[in-house]
Amino acid sequence: MSDFTDSKQQWENTLFSSIVEMARAADGDFAVLGQLAAASGDPESLQIVIDRLSQQPQGKKAFASYFSLGAIDLEELHRLPTETLGYLYAEHMLSNQLKPLQADLATNDHQFFAAHITETHDVWHVLTGSTTDILGEIQLEAFYVAQLEASRFWLALLTKNLMKSVVYDIDVATDYMEVMTNGWLMGRKAEPLFGINWSTLWTKHLEEIRVSLNIDIAL
Amino acid sequence: MSDFTDSKQQWENTLFSSIVEMARAADGDFAVLGQLAAASGDPESLQIVIDRLSQQPQGKKAFASYFSLGAIDLEELHRLPTETLGYLYAEHMLSNQLKPLQADLATNDHQFFAAHITETHDVWHVLTGSTTDILGEIQLEAFYVAQLEASRFWLALLTKNLMKSVVYDIDVATDYMEVMTNGWLMGRKAEPLFGINWSTLWTKHLEEIRVSLNIDIAL
């Protein structure tokens, strides 16, 4: 067996194990999530995702600028009118006791991709009307698979959730399939969200943003 | 650790391994499929599926009679008009070089469930317009999950297919998600197919049967 074949098989084994370990872990276990992110974040598939996102002007512009949302003051956003993205994002963060995730400044495409996905994750929760429980997470995972196309990480998360249902709780299968379908259809129908600078949109009404991006949460 | 906990964990481990082994195997490997069927066919979850199917008159009647489609003469069915279920089923079987799967006569609910699902599988392929390639199989798997609700086996098959895409070929993710969504929506919308005696319907037009059962293959 060549070294190349050997290391490819090792990588496949690691990825299989990461998915199973994630399925064995409790929902929200961030240590195993990190392992899965590492195992599923191979440069080749990441490059395919980046290339596809860059085919749209918005994605191309984002990769040309490596912008960041900047520091976010939740208290300040929470003083905006209650229909605004800023207020609703702050409300989502504060009521779930979450802090804005800030990534280091990016110096290459892969870093920017990871940083942007990380810092916009909770904005996507709000935009898609996805709750922070497991049903909301599954809906949002399917939305990511639709929007990012060839993303090993997000499809791995969907896979582990179906696997959890198979092994531990088959009674949730229908609910899981339902929200996965909703997230997928919503993500296919919506305009691309990747590359939008949400910090310029805090004062806009959430519903208007949804309409302009074709995000149909009633699916 | 009690014997019960011990054997439960062993069963979970076997089920995890079966799904991964199935993901590692080539599409259509029937030996590993048998292992997965055994691992996912625990009496408890099977009983839940059977109880739910029995809540509908058609399912209840089926479990009361343990009927079988009987011997199927493909050459004879192939002489029926080309729009009929019988002709189209025979055409599907002959062109894919398949033989009708016949199960032993059932003497209890679990045996009947397995026998009926087995002998009607290719009829469901025809009814749902699902091809015999991997995309058609995924569509039909999702259709089964929708129709049988708490089925470990069919959800395990969907899971292993998503897992295959994650590890071996992320480029097929969009196609897999698309057909899974179609199968799921079709299965939720359609009347229950379980318990129908297709051998009484060979001479009916396929399109009329689809309409009467609300099977919408254009989804």
Side-chain angles (χ1 to χ4, degrees):
Chain A
M1 192 184 286
S2 73
D3 284 356
F4 174 75
T5 314
D6 205 31
S7 85
K8 188 161 179 289
Q9 287 196 346
Q10 268 179 21
W11 172 79
E12 289 168 4
N13 290 342
T14 306
L15 192 43
F16 276 126
S17 310
S18 306
I19 298 171
V20 172
E21 282 316 305
M22 186 89 196
R24 286 181 190 277
D27 291 337
D29 181 326
F30 282 98
V32 288
L33 184 67
Q35 286 167 21
L36 182 66
S40 62
D42 61 298
E44 292 76 15
S45 67
L46 218 50
Q47 194 57 49
I48 296 174
V49 175
I50 291 168
D51 289 347
R52 287 188 188 166
L53 291 170
S54 304
Q55 283 168 7
Q56 294 141 352
Q58 175 178 298
K60 194 175 177 181
K61 210 173 138 193
F63 282 109
S65 73
Y66 293 163
F67 75 93
S68 136
L69 299 188
I72 294 173
D73 184 337
L74 292 180
E75 299 297 336
E76 191 188 327
L77 292 181
H78 207 245
R79 285 191 291 271
L80 288 170
T82 54
E83 303 85 1
T84 60
L85 175 64
Y87 171 84
L88 289 161
Y89 170 74
E91 177 61 25
H92 165 88
M93 300 300 281
L94 296 169
S95 66
N96 287 297
Q97 298 179 295
L98 297 169
K99 287 188 179 160
L101 294 168
Q102 273 197 292
D104 295 332
L105 275 186
T107 57
N108 64 46
D109 286 357
H110 290 201
Q111 283 176 8
F112 172 70
F113 175 77
H116 182 65
I117 289 290
T118 301
E119 69 174 4
T120 59
H121 178 72
D122 283 297
V123 183
W124 288 37
H125 261 287
V126 174
L127 289 161
T128 59
S130 300
T131 50
T132 55
D133 60 8
I134 187 64
L135 293 180
E137 292 295 345
I138 291 173
Q139 174 171 291
L140 189 49
E141 284 158 16
F143 187 92
Y144 274 106
V145 174
Q147 291 256 317
L148 304 180
E149 297 199 34
S151 166
R152 281 209 158 93
F153 176 69
W154 295 103
L155 189 61
L157 287 180
L158 273 187
T159 303
K160 75 92 186 166
N161 279 317
L162 293 191
M163 195 179 233
K164 278 187 107 140
S165 171
V166 170
V167 177
Y168 297 119
D169 190 3
I170 192 62
D171 260 339
V172 298
T174 297
D175 287 345
Y176 281 20
M177 291 293 292
E178 204 69 69
V179 292
M180 184 167 73
T181 301
N182 289 350
W184 171 257
L185 293 173
M186 209 192 313
R188 292 286 277 174
K189 190 175 175 183
E191 298 296 323
L193 303 198
F194 186 93
I196 295 178
N197 190 340
W198 306 105
S199 64
T200 67
L201 298 171
W202 295 134
T203 58
K204 300 267 184 206
H205 281 204
L206 174 60
E207 280 312 322
E208 286 170 21
I209 297 176
R210 282 182 179 153
V211 168
S212 72
L213 293 171
N214 219 6
I215 299 172
D216 186 357
I217 67 161
L219 276 171
Chain B
M1 190 183 288
S2 73
D3 283 356
F4 174 75
T5 313
D6 204 32
S7 86
K8 186 160 180 290
Q9 286 196 346
Q10 269 179 21
W11 172 79
E12 290 169 2
N13 291 342
T14 305
L15 190 44
F16 276 126
S17 311
S18 304
I19 298 171
V20 172
E21 283 315 305
M22 186 88 195
R24 286 182 191 276
D27 292 337
D29 181 327
F30 282 98
V32 288
L33 184 66
Q35 285 169 21
L36 181 66
S40 62
D42 62 296
E44 291 76 16
S45 68
L46 217 53
Q47 194 56 49
I48 296 174
V49 175
I50 291 168
D51 289 346
R52 288 190 188 164
L53 291 170
S54 304
Q55 283 168 8
Q56 292 141 354
Q58 176 178 297
K60 193 174 178 182
K61 209 172 139 194
F63 282 109
S65 73
Y66 294 162
F67 76 92
S68 136
L69 299 188
I72 293 172
D73 183 338
L74 291 180
E75 298 298 335
E76 191 188 327
L77 291 181
H78 207 244
R79 284 190 291 271
L80 288 170
T82 55
E83 302 84 3
T84 61
L85 175 64
Y87 172 83
L88 289 162
Y89 171 73
E91 177 61 23
H92 165 87
M93 299 301 281
L94 296 169
S95 66
N96 287 297
Q97 298 179 294
L98 296 169
K99 287 188 178 162
L101 294 169
Q102 275 197 291
D104 295 334
L105 275 186
T107 57
N108 64 46
D109 285 358
H110 291 202
Q111 282 175 8
F112 172 70
F113 175 77
H116 183 64
I117 289 290
T118 301
E119 69 174 4
T120 60
H121 178 72
D122 282 297
V123 183
W124 287 38
H125 260 287
V126 174
L127 289 161
T128 59
S130 300
T131 49
T132 55
D133 59 8
I134 187 64
L135 292 180
E137 293 295 346
I138 292 172
Q139 173 171 292
L140 188 49
E141 284 157 18
F143 187 91
Y144 274 106
V145 175
Q147 291 254 317
L148 304 181
E149 296 197 35
S151 166
R152 282 210 157 92
F153 175 68
W154 295 103
L155 189 62
L157 288 180
L158 273 188
T159 304
K160 73 91 185 168
N161 279 318
L162 293 191
M163 196 179 231
K164 278 188 106 139
S165 171
V166 170
V167 177
Y168 297 122
D169 189 3
I170 191 63
D171 260 339
V172 299
T174 297
D175 288 345
Y176 281 20
M177 291 292 293
E178 204 70 69
V179 292
M180 184 166 73
T181 301
N182 289 350
W184 171 256
L185 293 174
M186 208 193 313
R188 292 286 275 175
K189 190 174 174 184
E191 298 297 323
L193 303 197
F194 186 92
I196 295 177
N197 189 340
W198 305 106
S199 64
T200 66
L201 298 172
W202 294 134
T203 59
K204 300 266 184 207
H205 281 205
L206 173 60
E207 280 312 320
E208 286 170 22
I209 297 175
R210 282 182 178 154
V211 169
S212 72
L213 293 171
N214 219 5
I215 299 172
D216 186 355
I217 67 161
L219 277 170

